[in-house]
Amino acid sequence: MNEIKKFFKQDEVEEKFRLLLGERAPQFLTSVMQAVSENYDLQNVDPKSIYGAAVTAALINLPINKNLGFAYIVPYKGVAQFQMGWKGFVQLAHRTNQFARINPTDVMEGEIIDRDRLTGDMKFKWLPDSERKGLEPIGYVSYFRLANGFESTYYMTAEELEAHAKKYSEAYRNNGGPWVKDKPAMCRKTVIKLNLSRNAPLSLEMQKAIIFDQGVTFDGETVEYVDNPEIEIIDEKQKAIAEKLNGILD
């Protein structure tokens, strides 16, 4: 912990965050140190990777605060990952002023009424909250409606989400990581991230959040994926996003 505090007290490090956040820099850095102090495993990772994750959060202007659930710094194999929360994606979407509605939710048995195989449109009939208590989700869905009226729904079954976690998270395959600690939140994040990536207009902040999510960075500019070395490139659209973003950062 002392080594990490010493690293963040360096003049060039403090100046970096002053440039990014202005007067909010001290408060932001305090929240980063608070996150580290509350996580023993995070106290034993490379300080540069904590710095890189913090820079990424600062660049997209999301606080590192577990109570807010926007973004996290997560330890894995001696380094720190930057990790988005599903609420962070919602926050970034609202900032664009292009989204009228955006939300992910779980889906219980009997709540799916119909699915048009041609258009992909789905119809739901939601059970009262009192009837949903104690039930296990059969899947998760995300929905957004743009200010121009465009709508998009993205649904994954519980089995599809389980397969996704096993494929792209080594930590989960080893019975650890966020997929184990808070699986419902990771399911919500997955459906909302995929829906946004494939179907939504993306601001530069949202592009960076998608590309750097679950990645390790030492400078906030380049990223690698130590937990999921076979990281999913969702489709040609995300490839284009990555290429465009790399060009901007270069």
Side-chain angles (χ1 to χ4, degrees), residues 215-233:
V216 174
T217 178
F218 296 95
D219 53 13
E221 297 182 4
T222 57
V223 63
E224 57 182 303
Y225 305 94
V226 296
D227 180 29
N228 41 359
E230 298 181 14
I231 184 70
E232 177 182 24
I233 297 298

Side-chain angles (χ1 to χ4, degrees), residues 31 37 43 47 90 101 108 113 131-132 164 169 232:
S31 69
S37 68
Q43 297 170 27
V90 171
R101 292 283 187 275
M108 303 302 179
I113 304 304
E131 295 182 23
R132 297 178 107 250
H164 180 95
S169 176
E232 177 182 24

Side-chain angles (χ1 to χ4, degrees), residues 92-109:
L92 294 182
H94 282 311
R95 284 183 195 169
T96 68
N97 293 321
Q98 296 188 69
F99 290 77
R101 292 283 187 275
I102 180 170
N103 190 56
T105 187
D106 51 14
V107 180
M108 303 302 179
E109 185 73 45

Side-chain angles (χ1 to χ4, degrees), residues 197-250:
S197 299
R198 294 180 173 182
N199 303 310
L202 299 176
S203 65
L204 290 178
E205 285 183 337
M206 292 170 70
Q207 291 176 35
K208 189 175 182 68
I210 288 170
I211 298 301
F212 279 69
D213 181 38
Q214 294 175 249
V216 174
T217 178
F218 296 95
D219 53 13
E221 297 182 4
T222 57
V223 63
E224 57 182 303
Y225 305 94
V226 296
D227 180 29
N228 41 359
E230 298 181 14
I231 184 70
E232 177 182 24
I233 297 298
I234 296 168
D235 52 23
E236 291 301 320
K237 182 175 181 180
Q238 182 163 332
K239 289 181 183 178
I241 290 172
E243 291 170 358
K244 179 180 178 182
L245 186 61
N246 286 338
I248 292 170
L249 291 173
D250 290 343

